[in-house]
Structure formats: structure tokens, C-alpha cells
Amino acid sequence: MTTITLVRGDITDQSVDAIVNAANSSLLGGGGVDGAIHRRGGPAILDDCRRLRASHYGKGLPTGRAVATTAGNLDARWVIHTVGPVYSASEDRSALLASCYRESLRVADELGARTVAFPAVSAGIYGWPMDDAARIAVETVRTTPTEVEEVRFVLFDERAHEAFTAQLDAG
Ligand code: AR6
């Protein structure tokens, strides 16, 4: 049984087994959550990402997939990097966004992670409307079989926290 919890705050402050990063296909860093994770986690994370690019992911990590690295100096054992879709008003990319949560949980299960912190993937720089991003996130976690005991959504601002609260209350 997976418990979903909501926290308003910075994902890099969390103590969990795995922190999920809203990365991009390059795995080599960026802004938003990605920038914060690499800043706080230190260079060991980027070293692992570079190794992944040199081995399994020469062309980068495809959208909707997830892969784990060390968590460096973060208070976690692993960072699970997932690549959300860029929001499009003309094309429905929700299946790819749902896939980010499903694949991250699959990787978490492979690692044996029992507590996992997620940001609102795609709902920042990638432009996904927050209410819809929250709906997809909560529905997907609710319907994905996993050994993860706690999924903690870490929402950066009040607006995001409200959107996720509404989804949890609706269920
Ligand atoms: N802790 C928790 N949530 C955060 C934090 C934080 N430290 N910082 C931002 N957020 P984003 P995306 C929120 O842009 O939309 C990067 O450049 C933010 O307010 O981090 O998937 C990558 O390299 C928003 O609600 O991720 C990619 O190129 C949510 O986290 C691209 O951005 C996600 O915002 C990915 O864009």
C-alpha cells in the first residue's frame, strides 16, 4: 500500500531513499529542479550522468523514461532522473507524462527504494498546466503497482500545493 503525502518546499531538502529529478534528455543539467539537484548534490551526480551518456544513453534519455544515479551530497541514496514532455496545446502528450511517474516507480522498485520524492514533472520550464500535471501525477501513482511505501510530492509554491491537494481530496 503506497501512501501519498504532500509537502510544500524544496525537493533538495528532503530525506528519502530516492529524489526524482525533472531532467532533460541530455542528463547534463539545466534549470529548475534539475539545477537545484545538481547544485546541492554536487559533481558526483553529473559524473554518473556523463557515464550513462557514454554507455547506455548515447543519444540521451528518451522522454517518459527514468534512470538512477547516486544522490551525491543530498540526503538520499539515489536520484532518479526522468524526462517529462514539453507541454503542447495541439498534441496530447499526457501518456508520456504518466510514463515518467510509472518508470520512476519501476526504477525505484528495482533499487529497493521505499520512500520517493517527486516534483511536479513538466509543470515548470516545460509549461504543463499545473492542475492537469497534478491530476496525471496523482492518478498515475495511485494506479501503478509498486513496493514504494511513501510517494511524497514536493511542491515548490502554494499554487502547486493547492493543485495537488485538490487532486488528493478528489480521490
Ligand atoms: N524543489 C521542488 N520543486 C521545484 C524546485 C525545487 N527545488 N525548483 C523548481 N520546482 P522544472 P520541467 C518546481 O522547470 O517543467 C530544466 O532546465 C517548479 O516550480 O524544474 O519538467 C531541465 O533540465 C515546477 O512546479 O521542470 C529541463 O530542461 C516543477 O518543479 C526542464 O527544466 C517542475 O519545474 C524541465 O522542465
Side-chain angles (χ1 to χ4, degrees), residues 19-84:
I19 291 177
V20 176
N21 182 19
N24 60 63
S25 287
S26 82
L27 292 176
L28 300 179
V33 175
D34 199 7
I37 283 176
H38 282 283
R39 259 192 317 276
R40 281 286 286 279
I45 299 176
L46 192 56
D47 288 347
D48 267 7
C49 287
R50 289 213 174 93
R51 273 193 285 273
L52 285 167
R53 285 300 306 273
S55 55
H56 289 73
Y57 298 101
K59 292 181 180 161
L61 182 68
T63 305
R65 299 270 298 277
V67 70
T69 66
T70 177
N73 302 324
L74 296 169
D75 191 8
R77 295 174 69 187
W78 303 281
V79 170
I80 298 174
H81 305 261
T82 191
V83 182

